Amino acid sequence: MDAQGRGRADDVDPADQWVLNPRTGEYELRMPPSGPSAPSAPESSVPGPRTAGRRTSAPGREVPPQRRRRPEPEEPVPGRRGRRPEKKKSKGKKVLLWTGGTMAFVVLVAGVGGYVYLKHLEGNVSTTDVGNAGSSSFSKDEAFNILIIGTDKRTGAGNEGYGDKGSAGHADTNILLHVAKDRSNATALSIPRDLIVDIPDCETVQEDGTKKVIPGSEGVRFNQSLGDLGRDAGCTMRTVTETTGIKPDHFMMADFNAVKTLTTAVDGVEVCVEHAVNDKKSGLVLDAGESKVEGEQALAFVRTRHAFGNEGDLDRIKVQQQFLGSLMRKMSSSDTLTSPTKLVKLAEAATKALTVDSAIGNVGTLKDIALELKKVPPKNITFATVPVLDNPAEKVKATVVVNEAKAPQIFDMIKNDVSFTEVEQEKKEKKKKEDAAVAARLEGEKSDPSEIRVRVLNGGAPTGSAQQELNYLQTRAGVTKSENAGNAPADIAKTTLEYAPDQADQARALAEILGLTGAAMKPGESVTNSQGLPTMTLTLGKDFKGAGVKLDAASVEKPDLDNASTADQKLCAS
């Protein structure tokens, strides 16, 4: 759907409607009265309910109207332009916002206040019913995946030089954003538009409410998963699942114009280039070093293919990731978050740019999603790209294929909610305060894996986890004296290993294999296995992340991510 042209701007700039309530010390949004004959508020009025021309400060108590006087600087007059609220730090009323253009979407903070205004913002957002391609609702207590799509559809003035003329809107830029369950980290995985994939059959909902199944295609570019043959964002979501094994829960989509409107709303974004740029095809002209771009120039920066690297899509992805990190920092800066004027402009620009799935198509849910993402430290937001190789079927290299030697581990880490940054190292610092006796459980001699006797129980992990872990222990870790003991009597949150004192060397060896902490090791008694021999008991809890995935994520060997970066890094495009 076209993300632009839905409705028109109000006659009154929303930023002019923010007024200071002296009773609370908060800025509040005062919507203008409806109807052409509604009188404007007196210049000296103070926000509050009115009764018969008199202002009421509390139920049953009237306060005489104030005499006209010169307003104090910190009390702007509602409805008059040129007198906007002084920048003042709000106590929690911050607007959080997601959106993006071809470079993807970015985060901000929540709730501009006022049910009427929130419903107004909701009217800006377009939605698409993607059926079972995603989740039916959003949960604050779970990890979640959002597919962020920037299309090459032309809308807005001045965009004729970008994308294909008359394009239905292909998946030009794609980022799969995974947010960890504990909100300690997130991963933004770019999917190249020229990646060769198989697009599965997908069911779409037509304008008249009927459903139509669009047949799939084999061995085509990823960007054809949107727009071609009437494919919608649900088809792109299904293609991501088919390609990576990771199911997106929701999607957010915008076109070229979003980059221009968003960067203008925040008064520009800082970028850096190693060498001066003068790209006649995109119109991008920048001096070497740091610059500020907004509007048309910002769009040229994220769209140019000829100013950086080898002039290919993979080099452009790196530039877009750097731009996205800079935009995230600008949106979450104190200069933006303490300015009601900028926040309202951002809210308007973002919601008008957005098309999302029906499950999150209201402002309240979008706000909840953004607040959850706000919990993630920028230094733990990793930007990466699906590892790829040149397509071996082509003589003239134009497309790429998944690098099967590197990509599966990255996909598995995302599916298993494992961080690409050293967030667990921070937790380790806290664990230094752990009881010395608990820490000492990991210290000492370790037996050979072949001497470990352990039975595995499922105490809250997904169905089949005990057998999957047993297979890993026996075939990959050398723990051949292990067996599946079925389900535990009750579910537990954390995985535990119970052992007798004379099994401590076995327990330490198994803890190293599984990535268990000292707190997970429970000295106690042994039980007998099916052969009547003493054995330890490993009970998989709800924190189990998959067979072979260590529970202490800091000990997981990190994959080789080409040109990965984090959102707090200030990088220069080259």
Side-chain angles (χ1 to χ4, degrees), residues 19 22 26 60 66 80 83 175 198 213 306 317 326 351 360 362 366 395 408 507:
V19 294
E26 297 281 353
Q66 289 184 330
R80 290 188 56 185
R83 295 187 179 182
I175 296 180
D198 293 338
V213 176
H306 305 285
I317 285 175
S326 180
T351 52
I360 59 171
N362 63 79
L366 291 173
K395 291 183 178 179

Side-chain angles (χ1 to χ4, degrees), residues 23 49 51 54-64:
R23 291 175 294 172
T51 306
R54 301 175 69 85
R55 181 169 56 85
T56 303
S57 62
R61 178 183 175 189
E62 291 188 349
V63 179

Side-chain angles (χ1 to χ4, degrees), residues 140-144 178-185 372 417 542:
K140 296 181 182 180
D141 302 319
E142 300 294 335
F144 60 90
H178 170 79
V179 181
K181 181 176 181 178
D182 64 3
R183 309 302 187 243
S184 67
N185 67 93
E372 293 304 306
D417 201 22
K542 294 179 180 178

Side-chain angles (χ1 to χ4, degrees), residues 542-565:
K542 294 179 180 178
D543 61 339
F544 180 70
K545 298 179 182 298
V549 179
K550 295 191 177 185
L551 291 166
D552 176 10
S555 64
V556 176
E557 183 180 352
K558 299 299 186 294
D560 181 16
L561 292 175
D562 296 332
N563 303 304
S565 61

Side-chain angles (χ1 to χ4, degrees), residues 272-399:
C272 180
V273 294
E274 289 188 3
H275 309 286
V277 174
N278 187 355
D279 182 9
K280 293 181 173 56
K281 292 189 176 181
S282 68
L284 180 64
V285 178
L286 291 176
D287 293 330
E290 295 185 355
S291 302
K292 185 169 77 170
V293 296
E294 66 176 279
E296 186 69 32
Q297 195 177 31
L299 179 56
F301 183 82
V302 298
R303 290 297 306 149
T304 183
R305 295 170 61 97
H306 305 285
F308 309 113
N310 296 320
E311 302 187 7
D313 190 53
L314 296 179
D315 291 301
R316 186 177 66 170
I317 285 175
K318 289 188 293 184
V319 173
Q320 291 171 349
Q321 290 172 345
Q322 293 168 16
F323 179 87
L324 178 56
S326 180
L327 182 54
M328 291 176 71
R329 292 191 296 271
K330 183 62 177 287
M331 284 181 160
S332 59
S333 68
S334 59
D335 180 59
T336 300
L337 296 179
T338 58
S339 169
T341 301
K342 287 184 180 179
L343 290 178
V344 171
K345 287 181 178 178
L346 275 169
E348 294 287 342
T351 52
K352 287 177 180 177
L354 277 175
T355 298
V356 303
D357 57 286
S358 302
I360 59 171
N362 63 79
V363 169
T365 303
L366 291 173
K367 180 189 72 174
D368 289 342
I369 292 174
L371 283 174
E372 293 304 306
L373 185 53
K374 182 178 179 286
K375 297 176 183 178
V376 183
K379 65 179 180 178
N380 290 335
I381 301 176
T382 301
F383 291 109
T385 303
V386 172
V388 295
L389 299 171
D390 286 336
N391 188 349
E394 295 177 334
K395 291 183 178 179
V396 178
K397 305 303 180 184
T399 61

Side-chain angles (χ1 to χ4, degrees), residues 128 130 133 202-203 225-226 231-239 251:
T128 298
V130 297
C202 60
E203 184 177 79
S225 64
L226 180 70
R231 293 185 177 113
D232 62 13
C235 300
T236 309
M237 295 171 73
R238 288 182 171 91
T239 304
F251 85 88

Side-chain angles (χ1 to χ4, degrees), residues 203-263:
E203 184 177 79
T204 61
V205 179
Q206 306 300 298
E207 291 185 3
D208 60 2
T210 60
K211 296 180 179 180
K212 177 183 178 181
V213 176
I214 300 177
S217 302
E218 295 183 356
V220 297
R221 282 178 166 88
F222 182 90
N223 69 345
Q224 293 179 239
S225 64
L226 180 70
D228 273 18
L229 306 177
R231 293 185 177 113
D232 62 13
C235 300
T236 309
M237 295 171 73
R238 288 182 171 91
T239 304
V240 170
T241 304
E242 178 83 9
T243 305
T244 67
I246 305 167
K247 182 177 180 179
D249 297 299
H250 307 287
F251 85 88
M252 295 182 177
M253 180 170 66
D255 56 29
F256 289 150
N257 221 45
V259 182
K260 296 166 64 172
T261 57
L262 274 178
T263 52

Side-chain angles (χ1 to χ4, degrees), residues 515-528:
L516 297 179
T517 64
M521 300 171 67
K522 305 295 183 184
E525 297 180 356
S526 65
V527 296
T528 55

